[in-house]
Amino acid sequence: KISGSIKSESRSYVPGVSVALTGQSESDMLTASDGLYEFLVPAESAVTITPSKNNDGIPSNGTSTFDIILIRKHILGNQSLSSPYKIIAADVNQSASVASSDIVLIRAVILGNNSTFPNNKLWAFVNSDYAFSNPLNPFPYENKRTYAAVNSEMTDQNFIGMKMGDVNNSWDP
């Protein structure tokens, strides 16, 4: 068995995450309100767990002009975003950097001109025990878990979910 949970940086469970199991065994599931997932896999299976989420009813949930202000301060060097997760959330165009082009895209979602960010991405996920080599430049990062040969129960295989554009953690599940 491989199981874990998906939570935001502020420790809220993230429901509605599509969790895919690929490799020698394949399956997928959606997390419920408890953010939990679980897969049963044959012994010695080589598998990968990958979460994704693009099914928000309100794409701008958690994203506001206050996020834009915080991102602008980060870009100008006045006040850095305080965690690698916030920096990942600010990089909505997935360029591996935070720039004014990200602000333009966030504004379009807030105004309702766009319903998603590039590559139809509203969320990013990071393996919860991933150690960033440079937390101020967290790119690239591990967004899945890979197992060469599952030979025991794997619990607490958790992920941190970031709502793209939401750097003040105001997303409401």
Side-chain angles (χ1 to χ4, degrees), residues 17-122:
V17 176
S18 175
V19 184
L21 173 75
T22 57
Q24 288 176 301
S25 185
E26 298 204 0
S27 184
D28 58 55
M29 65 166 296
L30 280 178
T31 60
S33 61
D34 59 7
L36 299 177
Y37 75 89
E38 177 179 295
F39 294 106
L40 297 176
V41 297
E44 302 300 319
S45 293
V47 295
T48 299
I49 305 276
T50 309
S52 64
K53 180 171 172 61
N54 293 313
N55 57 359
D56 286 355
I58 303 170
S60 62
N61 177 0
T63 309
S64 69
T65 54
F66 186 57
D67 293 299
I68 290 173
I69 291 167
L70 294 173
I71 293 168
R72 181 174 287 135
K73 286 180 177 184
H74 177 81
I75 292 168
L76 294 173
N78 296 335
Q79 180 181 347
S80 293
L81 294 171
S82 61
S83 76
Y85 305 111
K86 288 174 175 51
I87 294 168
I88 292 167
D91 180 28
V92 298
N93 67 1
Q94 301 157 59
S95 65
S97 68
V98 180
S100 58
S101 56
D102 294 303
I103 291 174
V104 171
L105 293 167
I106 293 168
R107 184 176 291 124
V109 168
I110 291 169
L111 294 173
N113 296 332
N114 289 340
S115 61
T116 189
F117 296 114
N119 299 322
N120 195 30
K121 190 167 182 173
L122 289 173

